[in-house]
């Protein structure tokens, strides 16, 4: 793709939904800055795997990404502020093949709580984003669904994981918690998932904030392999659905889900809790005067003593009078 075509697609994406584009770049940046970037920055930008690069060049990628200006600057300059490689990187991050993020109205959160059956009150997220899948991904999911019901539940994870989650999906083997068996753990209560989504460093120039906490709202096909509390016609718990393989804690608790089949689960929404930790220039970068306050005070004191001394000096007064004649 030519630079002009890449520029046009980047600007189109930003004009379409700058907040969603900002989040995508922030999640990419968070993965890049993570000490676990070898496992969370997947996929890795292919532009740094070409031109003879046989290994992932994180140093060069950091150098390129660090020059990224804020989204507003990119729009205001019509992307002229992006040099060739940074433009290519922006294009790759913002134009994923399998999905696109869409900013939702705040009212969407209330719809989500109804879908999950959430009953415990928690702070509302600052932003809600919907994951819009490509036609091929959507068709594959609907084929697998085969008219089954959909379950909605929350999954908490560290912010640096979401770049990979969006591109590759949730994988049960990545889950470290196995008390109730092997699989991806979800809950109908946001209060349960939030502690697994601590605030983490994102992008310093983000419109959203440089510290983000993300919670995935997942669509789960109501497949027999999904372990949860399901009651039969006699209003008793269906044991075949309530206990996962290798469970050490017994039955899956009520309002919990354990999903071992990666194909029956996908992220439908992302709840974002955002804050800004970067201080203002005056607070984070002390002025030259505040840094040298003691030296300036001593110079002023010395000047004051000198002025007093000269004012009391008869010789100085004599020369001043001669000069003024």
């Amino acid at each position: 793709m030519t630079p002009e075509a890449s520029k046009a697609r980047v600007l189109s994406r930003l004009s379409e939904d700058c907040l969603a584009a900002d989040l995508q770049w922030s999640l990419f940046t968070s993965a890049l800055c993570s000490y676990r970037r070898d496992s969370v920055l997947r996929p890795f930008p292919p532009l740094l795997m070409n031109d003879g690069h046989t290994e992932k060049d994180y140093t060069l990628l950091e150098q390129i990404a660090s020059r990224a200006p804020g989204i507003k600057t990119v729009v205001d300059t019509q992307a002229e502020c992006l040099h060739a490689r940074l433009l290519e990187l922006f294009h790759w991050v913002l134009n994923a093949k399998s999905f696109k993020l869409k900013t939702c109205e705040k009212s969407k959160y209330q719809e989500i709580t109804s879908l999950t059956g959430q009953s415990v009150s928690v702070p509302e997220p600052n932003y809600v984003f919907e994951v819009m899948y490509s036609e091929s991904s959507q068709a594959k999911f609907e084929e697998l669904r085969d008219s089954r019901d959909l379950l909605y539940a929350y999954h908490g994870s560290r912010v640096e994981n979401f770049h990979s989650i969006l591109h590759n999906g949730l994988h049960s083997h990545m889950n470290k918690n196995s008390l109730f068996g092997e699989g991806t753990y979800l809950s109908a209560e946001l209060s349960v998932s939030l502690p697994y989504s601590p605030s983490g460093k994102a992008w310093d120039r983000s419109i959203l904030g440089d510290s983000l906490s993300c919670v995935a709202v997942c669509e789960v096909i109501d497949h027999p392999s999904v372990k949860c509390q399901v009651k039969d016609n006699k209003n008793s718990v269906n044991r075949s659905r309530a206990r996962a393989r290798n469970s050490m804690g017994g039955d899956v608790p009520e309002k919990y889900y354990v999903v071992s089949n990666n194909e029956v689960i996908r992220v439908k929404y992302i709840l974002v809790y955002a804050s800004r930790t970067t201080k203002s220039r005056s607070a984070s970068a002390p002025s030259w005067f505040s840094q040298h306050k003691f030296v300036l005070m001593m110079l002023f004191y010395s000047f004051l003593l000198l002025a007093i001394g000269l004012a009391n000096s008869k010789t100085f007064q004599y020369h001043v009078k001669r000069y003024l004649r």
Side-chain angles (χ1 to χ4, degrees):
M1 184 177 292
T2 65
E4 289 304 315
S6 295
K7 187 182 297 183
R9 291 195 66 182
V10 166
L11 290 173
S12 174
R13 180 68 182 122
L14 295 181
S15 63
E16 178 186 24
D17 195 336
C18 66
L19 285 179
D22 189 291
L23 178 62
Q24 273 184 261
W25 184 267
S26 295
L27 297 179
F28 162 74
T29 302
S30 180
L32 174 60
C33 295
S34 172
Y35 71 93
R36 296 168 46 242
R37 60 189 181 185
D38 231 10
S39 59
V40 298
L41 189 55
R42 296 183 179 182
F44 186 87
L47 67 106
L48 292 181
M49 299 298 285
N50 300 327
D51 302 327
H53 289 277
T54 56
E55 296 183 357
K56 298 175 181 179
D57 194 338
Y58 288 107
T59 302
L60 180 56
L61 180 57
E62 282 182 323
Q63 290 174 357
I64 296 171
S66 66
R67 297 174 186 171
I71 295 297
K72 186 178 184 301
T73 303
V74 178
V75 174
D76 290 345
T77 63
Q78 290 293 290
E80 292 296 332
C81 58
L82 305 178
H83 63 76
R85 282 212 152 172
L86 183 55
L87 174 63
E88 194 176 350
L89 183 60
F90 248 89
H91 178 268
W92 179 81
V93 171
L94 301 186
N95 292 279
K97 293 181 179 179
S98 60
F99 73 92
K100 182 166 66 173
L101 293 181
K102 174 187 173 185
T103 305
C104 299
E105 297 292 335
K106 281 286 192 76
S107 58
K108 179 62 71 173
Y109 174 67
Q110 301 304 324
E111 293 181 35
I112 291 171
T113 59
S114 298
L115 289 171
T116 59
Q118 177 182 327
S119 59
V120 179
S121 179
V122 295
E124 292 190 12
N126 300 100
Y127 304 94
V128 179
F129 296 89
E130 183 175 2
V131 184
M132 311 291 290
Y133 289 95
S134 64
E135 289 185 12
S136 58
S137 297
Q138 183 67 24
K140 182 180 179 181
F141 189 78
E142 289 299 333
E143 182 182 359
L144 185 63
R145 180 185 175 186
D146 193 25
S147 301
R148 290 188 178 92
D149 291 336
L150 289 176
L151 306 170
Y152 289 85
Y154 304 102
H155 176 77
S157 189
R158 302 181 72 87
V159 65
E160 62 261 31
N161 295 331
F162 273 84
H163 171 78
S164 175
I165 288 173
L166 285 171
H167 283 273
N168 305 307
L170 289 162
H171 292 279
S172 58
H173 71 276
M174 300 293 288
N175 180 47
K176 297 179 180 179
N177 186 1
S178 59
L179 178 61
F180 297 105
E182 299 172 0
T184 300
Y185 282 56
L186 303 98
S187 174
E189 294 293 345
L190 181 54
S191 59
V192 173
S193 300
L194 264 176
Y196 294 95
S197 298
S199 293
K201 178 176 172 54
W203 181 34
D204 290 343
R205 298 184 180 93
S206 172
I207 304 169
L208 309 174
D210 63 343
S211 180
L212 302 179
S213 167
C214 298
V215 178
V217 182
C218 300
E219 280 184 329
V220 183
I221 299 173
D222 192 7
H223 190 271
S225 64
V226 177
K227 302 305 177 183
C228 56
Q229 292 275 355
V230 176
K231 295 185 178 179
D232 57 24
N233 296 332
K234 297 179 181 179
N235 205 33
S236 57
V237 176
N238 184 341
R239 294 296 177 188
S240 65
R241 291 290 301 272
R243 183 165 298 196
R245 186 180 62 178
N246 300 327
S247 172
M248 296 182 291
D251 292 348
V252 175
E254 192 174 351
K255 290 196 169 186
Y256 278 72
Y257 302 90
V258 178
V259 183
S260 56
N261 182 355
N262 301 330
E263 300 298 318
V264 302
I265 180 175
R266 69 177 184 178
V267 178
K268 184 57 181 171
Y269 300 99
I270 300 177
L271 308 182
V272 177
Y273 293 83
S275 61
R276 186 159 297 283
T277 59
T278 305
K279 298 179 181 178
S280 64
R281 181 178 176 84
S282 59
S284 58
S287 66
W288 185 88
F289 290 100
S290 62
Q291 287 180 312
H292 302 86
K293 188 185 296 183
F294 178 76
V295 175
L296 291 172
M297 287 180 64
M298 292 302 295
L299 287 173
F300 176 76
Y301 182 66
S302 300
F303 177 78
L304 186 62
L305 290 178
L306 179 62
I308 293 172
L310 291 175
N312 294 325
S313 170
K314 291 182 178 180
T315 304
F316 178 74
Q317 291 174 4
Y318 169 75
H319 286 291
V320 169
K321 288 177 180 179
R322 285 192 62 186
Y323 177 77
L324 294 175
R325 283 178 185 174

